[in-house]
């Protein structure tokens, strides 16, 4: 199920694309280790296409095309060493939701700054069966756009200092007040 992006329109999409191009230009675009070599080659254009006219769901659909993700991955064993495991069947959705949402939030921060809006509001963009307490605590919180944008740019593909998005599959995003 796709995230429901409250302010995903042509204005926000143009800023999303600028943010994607920025990461590509400075060599900071996040490439999941689950992407195959072919997937890594195609990923920037797949992400651009989703930002131009798609959604996290359309990006996930493109990532599900055979050969774009690795079939297996190395996992650490609790007592040391590694083992090979199947990449989860949900990997395309997890990657697409997380990265599309990250660029949506960055684009929306840029849009808000241009419009003189100082903070964005955290909301649930997708219902989840078992919401995490830390996610519930963020709903309705105002996040300063300058801090959020800096945080999302600095913490590419990782957890952010402000906690948005709060881990994979949280279902949270931001919207204009």
């Amino acid at each position: 199920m796709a995230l429901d992006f409250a302010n995903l329109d042509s204005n926000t999409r143009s800023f999303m694309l600028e943010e994607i191009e920025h990461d590509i230009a400075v060599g900071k675009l996040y490439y999941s280790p689950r992407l195959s070599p072919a997937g890594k080659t195609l990923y920037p254009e797949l992400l651009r296409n989703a930002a131009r006219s798609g959604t996290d769901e359309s990006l996930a659909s493109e990532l599900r095309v055979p050969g774009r993700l690795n079939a297996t991955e190395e996992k650490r064993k609790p007592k040391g060493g590694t083992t090979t495991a199947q990449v989860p069947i949900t990997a395309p959705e997890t990657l697409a939701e997380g990265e599309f949402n990250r660029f949506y939030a960055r684009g929306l921060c840029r849009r808000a700054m241009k419009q003189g809006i100082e903070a964005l509001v955290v909301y649930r963009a997708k219902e989840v069966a078992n919401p995490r307490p830390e996610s519930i605590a963020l709903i309705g919180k105002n996040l300063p756009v300058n801090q959020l944008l800096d945080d999302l740019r600095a913490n590419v593909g990782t957890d952010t200092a402000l906690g948005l998005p709060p881990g994979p599959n949280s279902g949270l995003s931001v919207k204009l007040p």
Side-chain angles (χ1 to χ4, degrees), residues 13-170:
R13 286 180 187 279
S14 67
F15 287 114
M16 288 174 68
L17 281 165
E18 287 179 14
E19 289 297 305
I20 292 167
E21 295 304 331
H22 172 267
D23 278 13
I24 292 168
V26 299
K28 284 187 71 175
L29 186 66
Y30 174 69
Y31 289 93
S32 169
R34 292 178 170 169
L35 287 167
S36 69
K40 287 179 181 173
T41 299
L42 295 169
Y43 182 67
E45 194 57 30
L46 299 177
L47 188 58
R48 285 181 185 114
N49 289 340
R52 279 185 199 108
S53 60
T55 63
D56 57 305
E57 203 166 51
S58 66
L59 179 57
S61 179
E62 288 293 334
L63 293 172
R64 272 194 296 278
V65 170
R68 292 186 177 167
L69 292 181
N70 295 318
T72 60
E73 64 186 347
E74 293 294 312
K75 293 241 181 195
R76 291 187 183 269
K77 290 182 179 180
K79 295 183 181 184
T82 60
T83 187
T84 301
Q86 294 290 320
V87 168
I89 196 164
T90 57
E93 289 79 13
T94 302
L95 176 58
E97 276 186 16
E99 289 305 290
F100 191 91
N101 191 19
R102 181 178 299 278
F103 282 106
Y104 164 78
R106 286 172 58 175
L108 194 58
C109 284
R110 297 269 314 283
R111 174 181 175 176
M113 292 165 72
K114 187 171 183 177
Q115 294 176 342
I117 297 169
E118 296 182 5
L120 297 176
V121 180
V122 178
Y123 75 105
R124 181 158 301 288
K126 179 177 99 171
E127 291 305 315
V128 294
N130 297 304
R132 297 179 201 119
E134 56 271 22
S135 294
I136 294 169
L138 284 172
I139 295 173
K141 186 174 179 180
N142 289 319
L143 298 178
V145 294
N146 290 334
Q147 283 182 305
L148 180 58
L149 181 59
D150 289 347
D151 193 17
L152 291 168
R153 284 178 173 169
N155 297 294
V156 177
T158 62
D159 292 333
T160 61
L162 294 177
L164 191 79
N169 304 311
S170 73

